[in-house]
Amino acid sequence: MNMLFRVRRIGTTSIHNQVREHIVAAILGGSLLPEQKMPSTRELAISLRVSRNTIVQVYERLAADGYLSVRDRAGYFVNCEAKTGWVRPEKKGQQPPARQSVWTRKLKFHPSRQPYIRTPLNSHSYPYPFIYGQTDPSLFPISEWRECSRLALARSEVLEWTGDAIHQDDPTLIEQICSKLLPRRGIIATPDQVLITMGAQNALYLAATLLASSKTTVGIENPGYSDIRNAFIREEARILPIDVDAEGLVIDDRLRDCNLVYLTPSHQYPTNVTLPLHRREALLASAAEHDFLIIEDDYENETNFVTQPIPALKSLDEGNRVLYASSLSKSMFPGLRIGYMVGPADFVAEARALRRQMYRHPPANNQRTTSIFISLGYYDSHIRRLREALRERWGMMKEALAEFIPEASTAATAGGTSFWMQGPTSLDAQKLADAALARGVVIEPGKDLFYGSHEPSNFFRLGVSSIPTDRIRPGIEILGKTLRSI
Amino acid sequence: MNMLFRVRRIGTTSIHNQVREHIVAAILGGSLLPEQKMPSTRELAISLRVSRNTIVQVYERLAADGYLSVRDRAGYFVNCEAKTGWVRPEKKGQQPPARQSVWTRKLKFHPSRQPYIRTPLNSHSYPYPFIYGQTDPSLFPISEWRECSRLALARSEVLEWTGDAIHQDDPTLIEQICSKLLPRRGIIATPDQVLITMGAQNALYLAATLLASSKTTVGIENPGYSDIRNAFIREEARILPIDVDAEGLVIDDRLRDCNLVYLTPSHQYPTNVTLPLHRREALLASAAEHDFLIIEDDYENETNFVTQPIPALKSLDEGNRVLYASSLSKSMFPGLRIGYMVGPADFVAEARALRRQMYRHPPANNQRTTSIFISLGYYDSHIRRLREALRERWGMMKEALAEFIPEASTAATAGGTSFWMQGPTSLDAQKLADAALARGVVIEPGKDLFYGSHEPSNFFRLGVSSIPTDRIRPGIEILGKTLRSI
């Protein structure tokens, strides 16, 4: 039996765990057979060049866990019960799937064919990743998160959250959101008006599923967030694209035809302009007059660098016509997937019932860890540091763009984590993106964010949230040269 | 300023964190004002009866985090920037919502009105919780999970999973599922045929959304799993309830009319009977002949106590007509919400695109922790221990039922975590449940699991997964008496 494998001395997996993992894989994978005698602890220690004590501990633990059995004086053997419950395929020859399976022929729609911004998945391996929506892991307070995770895993806490919560949220997280996060956006809400979701995206998806149908006309910003537009289209709603100018969504008579309006007033996606107070009031007046509902995606509300943030649209909402969605993932780490919606309690109850069918609830351990992270004030201090770091990058970016790419224009904004660039009319931003990528610069062409008969090709987006500060100037310089070379 | 609060000496939150949490809440909540002088570390230590050193550390940390500012010799003050970015409501008087908001009047459907089994949410506070789907927290290997969580939070691992994975899964988890979990169900799959979902429930929901419409006829087991039936109904599919007998789904000519069949072959939900091999082969032959697709919910495949488990239906699927769904949450802890689907790669790609719109991906930290948990063999040993514990409870339950409730019958099964009970025809199980609850016994009436014009009222379910072993006999004895008293 060959038990040799390379023990890594560097890295995060302990030698104990490496040896354990290797033996378990050999047993489950069948290269160690039931009843087979294991090498003695001395032999294995010598061949792997690790301490004998480590091997003794691994064997003892594996015996306690039922992988090995120990026989007096004869040593350790693979437990014949270790694979109890395993079965082998009844028949051989599960066919490789045909090029198109019978399944895709029977789909009622093809979500993969809907347009959205496609970013190279390995964008961080390029030197100049000007991409949006990713965070810089070096800004994330990992030791604080680790502490909160440890606290959430204390036995007394665990008893509270391991069960199937069915449709409930962690009441401690709801409390933190109501008492610490919503007040700074000017929103007062009771716990029954709040639902935890898998990121803001999921809050929007739930709302679209509940409200949109072939009888619904939905007003959306143009350009705008393609993923929510896709969700409305999936529900067969009629899409009414509404122009965005230097002040955001244009409020005019076209809103009259809408049943629902979706917008991003804090920083319009993708132009980053902020909807001023007079437009917010006009929008709410129009909603009351024409009986439409509003979905507010309070996107990047933490990233105002020039002016003070202005309150959420929801804080002005005396007629209860605004459903509010926001995210914690973006400011913490996107992989966390925690967001929330705030709306009338009866609507939130329906969204909760739909969420129950969809996936029950966001994972309880993450809800509890996040709740502790906020309650200890780590969220707040993280946001402050993040804002400082982003403000610096945003300022450098503004300067670099003025210096190296003066031929492209961008709207005056109060912040955000990206710049929405309008190139010369003749520009094909996809070609620019391809040429830039070959030089190590990742940018996102903006065509798929437009909706309608004429989608301009000369827009692109440059994100600043994940590129290291010292790469901004050289990256923009290369991009400027690339732009002039194509 | 009153900084007095009760420091808890018992519990999981350290004194440092309690003091920190209290001060942060006071600053953010406005009871400590910007520029306000903090009490000296000595004063506060005395008034709270904690060591001065603790207070010094809390103050230093809060200063580093921007909550406090320190002035030489004058001590600590509340930082005037601590609440930067906060805003106050622009207008007062956000109205309390009307009894029915304008939102619910505009809903296209009301998910909260769909029938499902409603279990008391605080069922664990009753002495005899015979409920299904909850786990006994004492069986969960919390120290192993804590170890894996710590490993996943090592800095080198964190860099891999904090980013927005957009639509990708953790490749290490996919590898563990393909190499260690699927083979024991007889399934061979490549990574592109697997999608991680928020529990098996979410895999079923994604499939229903992609495949069901008003043009679809869906065959479902009757009685059967109400949450998936509700999802099909939401998509306006025609539901064809198909009888379940002692061998599970009855395979006959009615299947001819189906476009899609949903079933739980391992342990039928809720009767727990197992579909024998000859019926599985007949079902697959019928699917090929009548061109329908099959969704296999491989529900509770780990809980066979009498016979060896038989391979998944998917393992027999030469024609690629079976979509397979399974869950990790149920065997670990339900709050985790991790499951997966296995199907043809092109269908899985569409499900992935839909999942991207719905919520992007299951949280990356949980995916990595689960992957480490499986790779170290903890999952396998946990399943073995869980099976032993459940086998014991299941056997005790069988005996207790024969002794104390002989007038109710249950199907012969090979295991499961619950018993499906048929009471006398005249029984109203809801009345039984109410009367039992008053005596501390929680059971679930089964009416909502039936579908059709006549839904019998004399069925109920008794779960064994979360009740302590020594409560089984006395609980069933009380239930038997209750049954005869009403």
Side-chain angles (χ1 to χ4, degrees):
Chain A
M1 181 196 60
N2 179 13
M3 281 294 292
L4 273 178
F5 68 99
R6 193 172 64 85
V7 174
R8 280 161 286 129
R9 312 274 159 182
I10 304 164
T12 54
T13 311
S14 69
I15 292 174
H16 178 108
N17 278 344
Q18 288 181 55
V19 175
R20 180 188 166 97
E21 189 169 337
H22 188 78
I23 296 175
V24 167
I27 294 173
L28 298 182
S31 57
L32 279 171
L33 297 173
E35 301 293 340
Q36 186 169 346
K37 188 175 185 321
M38 294 294 291
S40 75
T41 54
R42 193 168 157 274
E43 274 167 45
L44 190 58
I46 290 170
S47 68
L48 296 181
R49 301 186 191 193
V50 303
S51 93
R52 184 163 170 198
N53 206 25
T54 300
I55 305 296
V56 170
Q57 282 171 8
V58 171
Y59 276 21
E60 282 173 356
R61 184 72 179 270
L62 287 171
D65 288 347
Y67 287 99
L68 301 182
S69 57
V70 59
R71 295 178 200 164
D72 279 352
R73 292 185 210 184
Y76 286 89
F77 292 78
V78 177
N79 187 353
C80 59
E81 309 253 287
K83 290 171 74 172
T84 301
W86 283 55
V87 289
R88 289 284 135 207
E90 283 282 307
K91 290 189 185 175
K92 289 226 169 132
Q94 288 171 32
Q95 303 299 321
R99 268 189 85 82
Q100 193 195 38
S101 73
V102 60
W103 289 80
T104 34
R105 286 203 306 275
K106 290 173 186 273
L107 286 176
K108 69 176 200 236
F109 68 105
H110 292 79
S112 72
R113 296 177 193 170
Q114 293 190 299
Y116 62 93
I117 285 203
R118 282 157 215 256
T119 310
L121 286 173
N122 55 346
S123 51
H124 271 282
S125 62
Y126 292 89
Y128 308 104
F130 290 105
I131 51 162
Y132 158 82
Q134 297 288 353
T135 48
D136 181 346
S138 72
L139 298 176
F140 180 65
I142 180 68
S143 59
E144 283 83 353
W145 177 261
R146 209 182 281 133
E147 178 192 347
C148 297
S149 171
R150 193 174 49 75
L151 292 172
L153 283 169
R155 188 164 282 276
S156 59
E157 301 267 340
V158 164
L159 292 181
E160 283 188 37
W161 58 252
T162 44
D164 185 346
I166 306 176
H167 59 249
Q168 296 178 106
D169 290 315
D170 188 331
T172 70
L173 180 56
I174 295 280
E175 190 192 320
Q176 292 298 321
I177 290 171
C178 288
S179 67
K180 298 208 180 128
L181 304 191
L182 292 176
R184 73 181 79 175
R185 302 300 300 134
I187 298 170
I188 299 158
T190 52
D192 61 347
Q193 294 169 341
V194 181
L195 183 75
I196 311 285
T197 56
M198 296 283 294
Q201 171 70 28
N202 183 233
L204 303 175
Y205 186 93
L206 286 163
T209 306
L210 284 167
L211 294 165
S213 72
S214 58
K215 301 185 193 80
T216 317
T217 297
V218 184
I220 58 163
E221 299 158 326
N222 194 32
Y225 184 40
S226 51
D227 275 355
I228 181 68
R229 188 180 69 213
N230 289 339
F232 286 128
I233 290 171
R234 193 186 78 67
E235 299 292 344
E236 300 176 8
R238 192 169 82 87
I239 301 293
L240 185 67
I242 300 178
D243 292 341
V244 169
D245 66 15
E247 294 193 320
L249 190 78
V250 173
I251 314 293
D252 63 19
D253 270 359
R254 276 172 302 175
L255 294 175
R256 198 177 41 198
D257 301 327
C258 294
N259 305 104
L260 202 55
V261 171
Y262 164 84
L263 80 165
T264 49
S266 275
H267 291 97
Q268 200 270 332
Y269 181 109
T271 66
N272 291 299
V273 299
T274 301
L275 197 73
L277 189 59
H278 66 92
R279 284 215 183 163
R280 293 177 186 226
E281 284 170 342
L283 175 64
L284 291 170
S286 181
E289 186 183 348
H290 303 301
D291 191 24
F292 62 81
L293 300 174
I294 298 168
I295 299 176
E296 174 182 28
D297 184 352
D298 194 20
Y299 166 74
E300 299 203 331
N301 61 64
E302 305 280 8
T303 58
N304 264 37
F305 308 132
V306 178
T307 57
Q308 280 290 304
I310 67 172
L313 183 61
K314 176 73 181 161
S315 75
L316 305 171
D317 175 33
E318 292 177 33
N320 257 311
R321 293 197 168 264
V322 179
L323 184 75
Y324 175 90
S326 188
S327 176
L328 284 169
S329 323
K330 205 135 257 161
S331 38
M332 294 180 55
F333 54 94
L336 179 63
R337 312 302 313 136
I338 289 195
Y340 49 95
M341 71 162 65
V342 182
D346 55 354
F347 181 80
V348 166
E350 294 296 339
R352 189 182 299 281
L354 178 59
R355 189 190 70 174
R356 181 180 180 281
Q357 281 182 28
M358 199 180 273
Y359 61 84
R360 298 274 182 270
H361 56 79
N365 58 341
N366 281 349
Q367 289 194 52
R368 181 55 58 95
T369 306
T370 304
S371 157
I372 296 173
F373 191 82
I374 302 172
S375 73
L376 291 179
Y378 294 145
Y379 180 76
D380 227 62
S381 40
H382 170 54
I383 290 289
R384 272 200 298 278
R385 287 196 194 113
L386 191 66
R387 192 190 288 126
E388 279 318 300
L390 290 174
R391 182 205 301 272
E392 187 193 357
R393 292 177 192 187
W394 186 81
M396 289 189 61
M397 186 77 164
K398 223 171 148 71
E399 280 179 32
L401 289 173
E403 183 175 345
F404 297 119
I405 319 187
E407 62 269 57
S409 66
T410 186
T413 69
T417 64
S418 65
F419 286 78
W420 179 245
M421 308 295 301
Q422 180 173 13
T425 324
S426 61
L427 176 70
D428 180 343
Q430 185 59 57
K431 280 192 184 142
L432 174 64
D434 294 343
L437 196 66
R439 300 176 189 195
V441 180
V442 191
I443 70 167
E444 295 171 319
K447 190 178 161 91
D448 285 331
L449 300 183
F450 288 96
Y451 184 78
S453 53
H454 175 65
E455 292 151 3
S457 301
N458 58 325
F459 287 82
F460 55 99
R461 183 167 62 182
L462 300 173
V464 296
S465 58
S466 67
I467 186 166
T469 315
D470 59 357
R471 300 272 178 83
I472 292 178
R473 268 185 67 85
I476 294 300
E477 186 170 6
I478 296 172
L479 184 63
K481 284 182 186 157
T482 311
L483 179 62
R484 283 179 289 279
S485 75
I486 61 170
Chain B
M1 180 196 60
N2 179 15
M3 281 292 293
L4 273 179
F5 68 101
R6 194 173 63 85
V7 174
R8 281 161 285 129
R9 312 273 158 181
I10 303 163
T12 56
T13 310
S14 69
I15 291 173
H16 177 108
N17 279 344
Q18 289 182 53
V19 176
R20 179 187 167 96
E21 189 169 334
H22 188 79
I23 297 176
V24 166
I27 293 173
L28 299 183
S31 56
L32 280 172
L33 296 172
E35 302 293 341
Q36 187 170 346
K37 186 172 185 323
M38 295 294 290
S40 75
T41 53
R42 192 167 158 275
E43 275 165 45
L44 190 57
I46 291 169
S47 68
L48 297 181
R49 300 185 193 196
V50 303
S51 94
R52 183 164 172 196
N53 207 26
T54 300
I55 306 295
V56 171
Q57 282 172 10
V58 170
Y59 276 21
E60 282 173 356
R61 185 70 180 270
L62 286 171
D65 288 347
Y67 287 99
L68 300 181
S69 57
V70 60
R71 295 178 201 163
D72 280 351
R73 292 184 209 183
Y76 286 88
F77 292 78
V78 176
N79 187 351
C80 59
E81 310 253 286
K83 290 173 73 173
T84 302
W86 282 55
V87 289
R88 288 283 136 209
E90 284 282 308
K91 292 190 185 174
K92 290 226 169 134
Q94 288 169 35
Q95 303 300 318
R99 266 190 87 80
Q100 193 194 39
S101 74
V102 60
W103 290 81
T104 32
R105 286 204 305 275
K106 289 173 185 270
L107 286 176
K108 68 177 201 236
F109 68 105
H110 293 79
S112 73
R113 296 178 192 170
Q114 293 189 299
Y116 63 94
I117 284 203
R118 284 158 214 254
T119 310
L121 287 171
N122 56 346
S123 51
H124 271 282
S125 63
Y126 292 90
Y128 308 103
F130 290 105
I131 50 162
Y132 159 80
Q134 298 287 352
T135 49
D136 180 348
S138 71
L139 298 175
F140 180 65
I142 181 67
S143 59
E144 284 83 355
W145 177 261
R146 209 182 282 135
E147 177 191 348
C148 297
S149 171
R150 195 175 47 75
L151 292 171
L153 282 169
R155 188 164 283 278
S156 59
E157 301 267 341
V158 164
L159 292 181
E160 283 189 37
W161 58 251
T162 43
D164 185 346
I166 306 176
H167 59 250
Q168 297 176 106
D169 290 315
D170 187 330
T172 70
L173 180 56
I174 295 280
E175 190 192 321
Q176 292 298 323
I177 290 171
C178 289
S179 67
K180 298 208 180 129
L181 303 191
L182 292 176
R184 71 180 79 175
R185 304 298 300 133
I187 299 170
I188 299 159
T190 53
D192 61 347
Q193 295 169 342
V194 181
L195 183 74
I196 311 286
T197 56
M198 296 283 293
Q201 172 70 28
N202 182 233
L204 303 174
Y205 186 93
L206 286 163
T209 307
L210 285 166
L211 294 165
S213 72
S214 58
K215 300 186 193 79
T216 317
T217 297
V218 183
I220 58 163
E221 299 159 326
N222 194 33
Y225 184 39
S226 51
D227 275 356
I228 180 70
R229 188 180 70 212
N230 289 339
F232 286 127
I233 290 172
R234 194 186 76 67
E235 298 293 343
E236 299 175 10
R238 193 169 81 88
I239 301 293
L240 186 66
I242 299 178
D243 292 342
V244 169
D245 66 15
E247 293 193 321
L249 190 78
V250 173
I251 314 293
D252 63 20
D253 271 0
R254 277 172 301 175
L255 294 175
R256 198 179 42 199
D257 300 328
C258 294
N259 306 105
L260 200 56
V261 171
Y262 163 83
L263 79 166
T264 48
S266 275
H267 291 98
Q268 201 269 331
Y269 181 109
T271 65
N272 291 299
V273 300
T274 301
L275 198 73
L277 189 59
H278 67 92
R279 282 215 182 163
R280 294 175 186 229
E281 284 170 341
L283 176 64
L284 291 170
S286 180
E289 185 184 347
H290 303 300
D291 190 26
F292 62 80
L293 300 174
I294 298 167
I295 298 176
E296 174 184 25
D297 184 352
D298 194 19
Y299 166 74
E300 300 203 332
N301 62 64
E302 304 281 7
T303 57
N304 264 37
F305 308 132
V306 179
T307 57
Q308 280 290 305
I310 67 171
L313 184 62
K314 176 74 181 162
S315 75
L316 306 169
D317 174 33
E318 293 176 33
N320 257 309
R321 292 196 170 265
V322 179
L323 184 74
Y324 175 89
S326 189
S327 174
L328 284 169
S329 323
K330 206 136 254 160
S331 38
M332 294 182 52
F333 53 95
L336 179 64
R337 312 304 312 139
I338 289 196
Y340 47 96
M341 70 161 66
V342 182
D346 55 355
F347 180 80
V348 166
E350 295 295 339
R352 188 183 300 281
L354 178 59
R355 189 190 71 174
R356 180 180 179 283
Q357 282 181 28
M358 199 180 273
Y359 62 83
R360 299 274 182 266
H361 57 79
N365 57 342
N366 280 349
Q367 288 195 51
R368 181 57 56 96
T369 306
T370 304
S371 157
I372 295 172
F373 192 82
I374 302 173
S375 72
L376 290 179
Y378 293 144
Y379 180 76
D380 227 61
S381 40
H382 169 55
I383 290 290
R384 271 199 300 279
R385 286 196 194 114
L386 192 65
R387 192 189 288 124
E388 280 316 303
L390 291 174
R391 182 204 303 271
E392 187 194 358
R393 292 177 191 188
W394 186 81
M396 290 189 58
M397 186 76 164
K398 222 172 150 70
E399 279 179 32
L401 289 173
E403 184 176 343
F404 297 119
I405 319 188
E407 62 268 56
S409 66
T410 185
T413 68
T417 65
S418 64
F419 287 77
W420 179 244
M421 308 295 299
Q422 180 173 14
T425 324
S426 61
L427 177 70
D428 179 343
Q430 184 60 56
K431 279 192 185 144
L432 174 63
D434 295 342
L437 196 67
R439 299 177 187 194
V441 180
V442 192
I443 70 166
E444 295 170 319
K447 190 178 162 94
D448 286 331
L449 300 181
F450 288 96
Y451 183 78
S453 52
H454 175 66
E455 292 151 2
S457 302
N458 58 324
F459 286 83
F460 55 99
R461 183 167 62 182
L462 300 173
V464 297
S465 58
S466 68
I467 185 166
T469 315
D470 58 357
R471 300 270 178 85
I472 292 178
R473 270 184 66 85
I476 294 300
E477 186 171 3
I478 296 172
L479 184 63
K481 285 181 188 159
T482 312
L483 179 62
R484 282 180 289 279
S485 75
I486 61 170

